[in-house]
Amino acid sequence: MLPTYEAVSGRAFDVVAARIRASPQLVLGLATGSTPLGLYRRLAAGDLDWSRVTTFNLDEYAGLSPEHPQSYHHYMWLHLFRHVNITPARTHIPSATGAGTAFEARIAAAGGIDLQILGIGANGHIGFNEPGSSFGSRTRSVSLAARTIADNARFFDRVEDVPRSACTMGIGTIMESRVIMLMACGKVKAEAVSRALQGPVTTDVPASVLQRHPNVLVLLDEAAASLLSKHLLTS
Ligand code: PGA
């Protein structure tokens, strides 16, 4: 546990930067949303060599063009890709127009994901794998949960503008990543974090599957960690 959002972002930066320096051909899984913005701000300002890094994003909304200000394509270019020397052909974002199997094949061809950055929804989702998603699920089109639509309405003018469906990496796909770095900040995530890390492993809480992964680094601020038993916490 770390004291603040900025401390979580700084630690996450240290992890990603060390991995890229150690393995210039790193295959990096990327997340979007509010949580990784501090990490991306640091990466954008850094001097890492991204030219041989390959990236795979977790998810993308259906029905938004890549240029749409709320698309995750746009998010990635705005917050990270345009600031670094990444090779555009090495960036991959799922397309909600289908072809989940092609996305999976690209991950396999790249040798699998070395480090997956992950957030958690207030309802326990990972990527857009909403409660009830199978632990064996692969990259596919999904409907968004009402809670996710409500939570993400803050990025849109009106709640009606939030897409109702998306394409997401599956839980099975995410679990094949060699290392997962889960980031969560704020009181709004405390219950989901508690259920994910110290509750039963259940598809009702997709992130609880991470208890079965051998190599998960969890970065939390104090508020997100506030419902965890003290024995689970290190700094
Ligand atoms: P957030 O989203 O970082 O915007 O809170 C996380 C998620 O829904 O997975």
Side-chain angles (χ1 to χ4, degrees):
M1 182 188 67
L2 294 152
T4 62
Y5 175 73
E6 291 305 323
V8 167
S9 302
R11 182 71 62 87
F13 170 80
D14 291 344
V15 170
V16 174
R19 293 297 301 254
I20 293 177
R21 287 199 186 98
S23 313
Q25 304 198 48
L26 192 75
V27 180
L28 182 62
L30 297 171
T32 48
S34 307
T35 309
L37 284 174
L39 164 63
Y40 294 151
R41 199 170 59 241
R42 285 164 173 78
L43 289 171
D47 60 355
L48 294 163
D49 178 10
W50 289 80
S51 60
R52 290 188 289 156
V53 173
T54 299
T55 65
F56 289 94
N57 268 76
L58 283 169
D59 46 21
E60 177 58 291
Y61 288 117
L64 302 188
S65 69
E67 298 76 33
H68 189 286
Q70 296 311 332
S71 79
Y72 292 155
H73 279 80
H74 185 264
Y75 173 109
M76 287 314 309
W77 281 96
L78 182 68
H79 296 298
L80 181 62
F81 295 160
R82 74 185 171 119
H83 303 284
V84 298
N85 67 334
I86 200 156
T87 307
R90 290 185 183 275
T91 68
H92 306 87
I93 301 179
S95 157
T97 53
T101 49
F103 192 78
E104 297 269 340
R106 290 288 194 87
I107 295 175
I113 294 171
D114 294 311
L115 172 64
Q116 176 66 56
I117 298 164
L118 202 59
I120 180 171
N123 66 355
H125 75 199
I126 50 175
F128 276 138
N129 295 284
E130 302 288 18
S133 299
S134 153
F135 286 166
S137 54
R138 311 303 305 185
T139 305
R140 69 203 185 288
S141 294
V142 291
S143 297
L144 300 184
R147 176 73 199 259
T148 299
I149 292 168
D151 285 349
N152 289 4
R154 68 189 192 279
F155 298 113
F156 293 80
D157 291 339
R158 305 172 313 158
V159 68
E160 297 77 39
D161 296 337
V162 183
R164 269 33 187 176
S165 53
C167 184
T168 184
M169 243 188 235
I171 295 180
T173 323
I174 292 169
M175 287 292 281
E176 285 168 7
S177 307
R178 292 181 187 90
V179 179
I180 293 175
M181 183 172 76
L182 176 68
M183 305 172 69
C185 293
K187 186 93 198 133
V188 69
K189 298 295 174 66
E191 191 184 337
V193 166
S194 164
R195 294 178 74 198
L197 301 184
Q198 57 190 11
V201 177
T202 164
T203 55
D204 293 344
V205 184
S208 66
V209 75
L210 298 174
Q211 294 180 36
R212 294 189 179 157
H213 193 284
N215 207 344
V216 183
L217 172 65
V218 183
L219 299 180
L220 306 172
D221 71 357
E222 264 176 33
S226 59
L227 299 178
L228 289 182
S229 321
K230 298 285 168 278
H231 78 269
L232 283 178
L233 302 177
T234 54
S235 55

